[in-house]
Amino acid sequence: MGDRLEEFRKFRERMNARILESDNLEIKRFFALDTRAYDAGALPVKTKELLGLVASLVLRCDDCVTYHLARCQEEGVTRPEFLEALHIGLVVGGSITIPHLRRAVATLDELDGL
Amino acid sequence: MGDRLEEFRKFRERMNARILESDNLEIKRFFALDTRAYDAGALPVKTKELLGLVASLVLRCDDCVTYHLARCQEEGVTRPEFLEALHIGLVVGGSITIPHLRRAVATLDELDGL
Amino acid sequence: MGDRLEEFRKFRERMNARILESDNLEIKRFFALDTRAYDAGALPVKTKELLGLVASLVLRCDDCVTYHLARCQEEGVTRPEFLEALHIGLVVGGSITIPHLRRAVATLDELDGL
Amino acid sequence: MGDRLEEFRKFRERMNARILESDNLEIKRFFALDTRAYDAGALPVKTKELLGLVASLVLRCDDCVTYHLARCQEEGVTRPEFLEALHIGLVVGGSITIPHLRRAVATLDELDGL
Amino acid sequence: MGDRLEEFRKFRERMNARILESDNLEIKRFFALDTRAYDAGALPVKTKELLGLVASLVLRCDDCVTYHLARCQEEGVTRPEFLEALHIGLVVGGSITIPHLRRAVATLDELDGL
Amino acid sequence: MGDRLEEFRKFRERMNARILESDNLEIKRFFALDTRAYDAGALPVKTKELLGLVASLVLRCDDCVTYHLARCQEEGVTRPEFLEALHIGLVVGGSITIPHLRRAVATLDELDGL
């Protein structure tokens, strides 16, 4: 796993812990709600993670895209599936998403050890 | 089918025709590209329409949500599946999406003849 | 209270009830979390409702602006305070928020029975 | 001129007057700044109005699009020029702008008395 | 004060000076308008800075969040108050704001010398 | 040319090549459509690049702003013209665009070898 991904994960874990150790119960509840949204239900986890990925791309959040790319990969999403999902984000969100698409493909390559 | 949905479809068809009869070839190409993005491929049509739905909700476009709700229904998406997909949009996009969620559920009811 | 406001409230209440009677527990939890976010805590309710108002204006959600204007008024926010808060939203969010500012002032006039 | 356009202009003028008669000097200054941004300078008015139009389309503000379409028309923008400018907005902003593009073309037709 | 904050402040000051030394009078007027929006008026400075903070979070601008966190701290905003304000931004703006919330808490820790 | 600009260009070229060597034909078509949107037509290239620049600023995409600044400069856009175009983006998009305006002016200085 690449250095950039490792750094992202460490910062993410450290700050999540920092946020969750605070006394604000409502923020903790939001984090729990966020996690459960991707649990298996009527829709399978793989579909839900793809929904999270495309929502993150059209809203242009690199960290969120990185997170869902990794989760999708764990759920067995293939490169052609990734490209079709990212293409939907590109068409819906427009060329303004292209810099995020470039970084998404770079992240996929990093996840694949390319 | 409700009046609001019927009115939406008529305006949509009329203006699409009006746009496509213009001399701007590139806009026509964009419309064709947009249509093909939801064709069956590595991912099934149902998943792609759900991706379009959630992307539309987090970007808060009522017309786009209405369109994809109708297409998802044609692809057999059930009410529990709809609610899980819309919930992901709600969690990703926040309470600012709630007015669109209300209109989405009203549209679903209209599509179901409720 | 004006007809437009009354219509907004009825649709809001009807669709909230419709959403909360569904079997999706997580959406209900989001709605409860959303409500509690404006409860008194370290910050007073009035400040929290103003935060909700300005966040709604810069994200350009008319329904959300309408809701928080009514709540702010219940908390005693005065016209000069409203204008200063809306001005911050205008400066942060730019001229693209002006149509929403126009509708916000029309709503305030309606709430004041002007 | 169509009824919809006339209604838009009346509401716009009435609420602008209502906002400018308030005691908030800073909001008045913002409105003046906004107006001056499109005055002739190093760039001609026509180019500036096209910039306002495309910015309004990618930010998906129908009222702002309507306003700049009317102003562009007064500055002599032709239908092929309009379509090229709107196409740039479509490509940059994605398919999520299509409902606004439909309404923009309907407004152009109304402005042209079609 | 941490290195990251110091670097942010230096770049901010250097580029503000660079922008204000240009011949564009209107940009200077916007900067002055922006500054005055947070001056004491009907609403106290502390409330106005919190409004700027939450508007910045829901619009997901890290530099703007950093600036308002520092200003809020100067106005005496406490950690529980910060968390409640940030939580409102989180609920309104959704999980897409979480990466910015992480960086906001990291900045608060840096401001507190933690 | 500055190091930052050189690094941006290399990453951009490398990832564009990586994306275009994939088997996803539709993404390639989007990239071609995006390129052609700025070709000379009814509107001159210079105007189109300015439209791309302001659209990028109000959508707050630094990479897109950097790209269009460089293209505009190649088309002969002068500093006063740049400042007027960026000012329109600032007024339309609000103070939330200021961090991007700072980086845009830094990029212009780098492009000018200042």
Side-chain angles (χ1 to χ4, degrees):
Chain A
M1 193 175 60
D3 284 354
R4 203 179 54 84
L5 274 177
E6 190 55 31
E7 197 181 331
F8 163 69
R9 283 186 181 155
K10 278 184 185 159
F11 180 76
R12 189 176 175 279
E13 273 171 40
R14 182 158 54 85
M15 293 317 300
N16 279 6
R18 188 79 185 94
I19 289 167
L20 298 177
E21 82 192 16
S22 82
D23 287 330
N24 193 301
L25 179 60
E26 297 303 314
I27 294 182
K28 292 177 207 183
R29 281 178 170 151
F30 190 100
F31 273 60
L33 194 79
D34 177 31
T35 300
R36 285 194 308 269
Y38 302 93
D39 284 351
L43 292 171
V45 174
K46 179 181 157 182
T47 301
K48 289 186 162 187
E49 287 295 339
L50 284 169
L51 293 174
L53 174 63
V54 173
S56 300
L57 181 58
V58 299
L59 290 175
R60 299 188 284 129
C61 172
D62 284 328
D63 281 6
C64 313
V65 166
T66 295
Y67 173 79
H68 288 292
L69 285 172
R71 283 291 297 114
C72 281
Q73 202 199 41
E74 290 169 1
E75 297 300 322
V77 174
T78 65
R79 187 62 71 117
E81 290 174 330
F82 270 124
L83 290 172
E84 289 187 12
L86 293 171
H87 177 60
I88 288 178
L90 174 61
V91 169
V92 173
S95 69
I96 207 81
T97 66
I98 288 179
H100 305 272
L101 178 65
R102 282 187 202 114
R103 290 189 282 270
V105 172
T107 298
L108 274 182
D109 284 355
E110 214 172 328
L111 286 166
D112 285 343
L114 296 184
Chain B
M1 192 175 59
D3 285 354
R4 204 179 54 83
L5 273 177
E6 191 55 30
E7 196 182 332
F8 163 68
R9 282 185 183 159
K10 278 185 186 159
F11 180 77
R12 189 177 175 277
E13 272 171 41
R14 182 158 55 86
M15 294 317 300
N16 279 7
R18 187 79 186 95
I19 289 167
L20 297 177
E21 82 195 16
S22 82
D23 287 332
N24 193 301
L25 179 60
E26 297 302 315
I27 294 182
K28 292 176 208 186
R29 282 177 169 150
F30 190 99
F31 273 59
L33 193 80
D34 178 30
T35 301
R36 286 195 306 270
Y38 302 93
D39 285 351
L43 291 171
V45 174
K46 180 181 158 182
T47 301
K48 289 186 162 188
E49 287 295 340
L50 284 168
L51 293 174
L53 174 63
V54 173
S56 300
L57 181 59
V58 298
L59 290 176
R60 300 188 282 129
C61 172
D62 284 328
D63 281 5
C64 313
V65 165
T66 295
Y67 173 79
H68 287 293
L69 286 172
R71 284 289 299 115
C72 281
Q73 201 199 42
E74 291 169 2
E75 298 300 322
V77 174
T78 65
R79 188 62 73 114
E81 289 173 332
F82 269 124
L83 289 172
E84 289 187 11
L86 293 170
H87 178 60
I88 287 178
L90 173 62
V91 169
V92 173
S95 69
I96 207 80
T97 68
I98 288 179
H100 305 271
L101 178 64
R102 283 188 201 112
R103 290 189 282 269
V105 172
T107 297
L108 274 181
D109 284 355
E110 214 173 328
L111 287 167
D112 284 344
L114 296 182
Chain C
M1 192 176 59
D3 283 355
R4 204 179 53 84
L5 273 177
E6 190 55 31
E7 197 183 329
F8 162 69
R9 282 186 182 157
K10 277 185 186 159
F11 180 77
R12 188 175 177 278
E13 271 171 41
R14 182 159 54 86
M15 294 318 300
N16 279 6
R18 187 80 186 95
I19 289 167
L20 297 177
E21 82 194 17
S22 84
D23 287 332
N24 193 300
L25 178 60
E26 297 303 314
I27 294 182
K28 293 177 207 185
R29 281 177 170 152
F30 190 100
F31 274 59
L33 194 79
D34 177 30
T35 301
R36 285 195 307 269
Y38 302 93
D39 285 350
L43 291 170
V45 174
K46 180 181 158 182
T47 301
K48 289 185 163 187
E49 286 295 340
L50 284 168
L51 293 174
L53 173 63
V54 173
S56 300
L57 181 59
V58 299
L59 290 175
R60 300 188 280 130
C61 172
D62 284 329
D63 281 5
C64 314
V65 166
T66 295
Y67 173 80
H68 287 293
L69 286 172
R71 284 290 299 114
C72 281
Q73 200 198 42
E74 290 169 1
E75 297 301 322
V77 173
T78 65
R79 188 61 71 116
E81 288 173 331
F82 269 124
L83 290 173
E84 289 187 12
L86 294 170
H87 178 60
I88 288 178
L90 174 61
V91 169
V92 173
S95 68
I96 207 81
T97 67
I98 288 179
H100 305 272
L101 177 65
R102 282 188 203 113
R103 290 189 282 269
V105 171
T107 298
L108 274 182
D109 284 355
E110 214 173 329
L111 286 167
D112 285 343
L114 297 182
Chain D
M1 192 175 60
D3 284 354
R4 205 179 53 85
L5 273 177
E6 191 55 31
E7 196 182 333
F8 163 69
R9 282 186 183 158
K10 278 185 185 158
F11 179 76
R12 189 177 176 277
E13 272 171 41
R14 182 158 55 86
M15 294 318 299
N16 279 6
R18 187 80 187 93
I19 289 166
L20 297 177
E21 82 194 17
S22 83
D23 287 331
N24 193 301
L25 178 61
E26 297 303 314
I27 294 182
K28 293 178 208 185
R29 282 178 169 151
F30 190 100
F31 273 60
L33 193 81
D34 178 30
T35 301
R36 285 195 307 269
Y38 302 93
D39 285 350
L43 292 171
V45 173
K46 180 181 157 181
T47 301
K48 288 185 163 187
E49 287 295 339
L50 284 168
L51 293 174
L53 174 63
V54 173
S56 300
L57 181 60
V58 299
L59 290 175
R60 300 189 281 129
C61 172
D62 284 327
D63 281 6
C64 313
V65 166
T66 296
Y67 173 79
H68 287 293
L69 286 172
R71 284 289 299 113
C72 281
Q73 202 199 39
E74 290 169 0
E75 298 299 323
V77 173
T78 65
R79 188 62 72 114
E81 289 173 331
F82 269 124
L83 290 172
E84 289 187 12
L86 293 171
H87 177 60
I88 287 179
L90 174 61
V91 169
V92 173
S95 69
I96 206 81
T97 67
I98 288 180
H100 305 273
L101 178 64
R102 282 187 203 114
R103 290 190 281 270
V105 172
T107 297
L108 274 181
D109 284 354
E110 214 173 328
L111 286 167
D112 285 343
L114 296 183
Chain E
M1 194 174 59
D3 284 354
R4 204 179 54 85
L5 273 178
E6 189 55 30
E7 197 182 331
F8 163 69
R9 283 187 180 156
K10 277 186 184 158
F11 180 76
R12 190 177 174 279
E13 273 172 39
R14 182 158 56 83
M15 294 317 300
N16 279 6
R18 187 79 186 93
I19 289 168
L20 296 178
E21 82 194 14
S22 83
D23 288 331
N24 193 300
L25 178 60
E26 297 302 314
I27 294 182
K28 291 176 207 184
R29 281 177 169 152
F30 190 100
F31 273 59
L33 194 80
D34 177 31
T35 301
R36 285 195 307 268
Y38 302 93
D39 284 352
L43 291 171
V45 174
K46 179 180 157 182
T47 301
K48 289 186 163 188
E49 287 296 339
L50 284 168
L51 293 174
L53 174 64
V54 173
S56 300
L57 181 60
V58 297
L59 290 175
R60 300 188 283 130
C61 172
D62 284 328
D63 281 5
C64 313
V65 166
T66 295
Y67 173 78
H68 288 292
L69 285 172
R71 284 290 298 115
C72 281
Q73 201 200 41
E74 290 169 1
E75 298 300 322
V77 174
T78 64
R79 187 61 72 115
E81 289 173 331
F82 269 125
L83 289 173
E84 289 187 12
L86 294 171
H87 178 59
I88 287 178
L90 174 62
V91 169
V92 173
S95 69
I96 207 80
T97 67
I98 288 179
H100 305 272
L101 177 65
R102 281 186 203 114
R103 289 189 282 269
V105 172
T107 298
L108 274 181
D109 284 355
E110 214 173 328
L111 286 166
D112 285 342
L114 297 182
Chain F
M1 193 176 59
D3 284 354
R4 204 179 53 85
L5 274 177
E6 190 54 32
E7 196 181 333
F8 163 68
R9 283 186 180 155
K10 277 185 184 158
F11 180 75
R12 189 176 175 279
E13 273 171 40
R14 181 158 55 85
M15 294 317 299
N16 279 6
R18 188 77 186 95
I19 289 167
L20 297 178
E21 82 193 17
S22 83
D23 286 331
N24 192 301
L25 179 59
E26 297 303 315
I27 293 182
K28 292 177 207 183
R29 282 178 169 152
F30 190 99
F31 273 59
L33 194 80
D34 177 30
T35 301
R36 286 195 307 269
Y38 302 94
D39 284 352
L43 291 171
V45 174
K46 180 180 157 183
T47 301
K48 288 185 163 188
E49 287 295 339
L50 284 168
L51 293 173
L53 174 62
V54 172
S56 300
L57 181 58
V58 298
L59 290 174
R60 299 189 281 129
C61 172
D62 284 328
D63 280 6
C64 313
V65 167
T66 295
Y67 173 79
H68 287 292
L69 286 172
R71 283 291 297 115
C72 282
Q73 202 199 41
E74 289 169 2
E75 297 300 322
V77 174
T78 64
R79 187 61 72 115
E81 289 173 331
F82 269 125
L83 290 172
E84 289 187 12
L86 294 170
H87 178 60
I88 287 177
L90 173 61
V91 169
V92 173
S95 69
I96 206 82
T97 67
I98 289 180
H100 305 272
L101 178 65
R102 282 187 201 114
R103 290 189 282 269
V105 172
T107 298
L108 274 181
D109 284 354
E110 214 173 327
L111 286 166
D112 285 343
L114 296 183

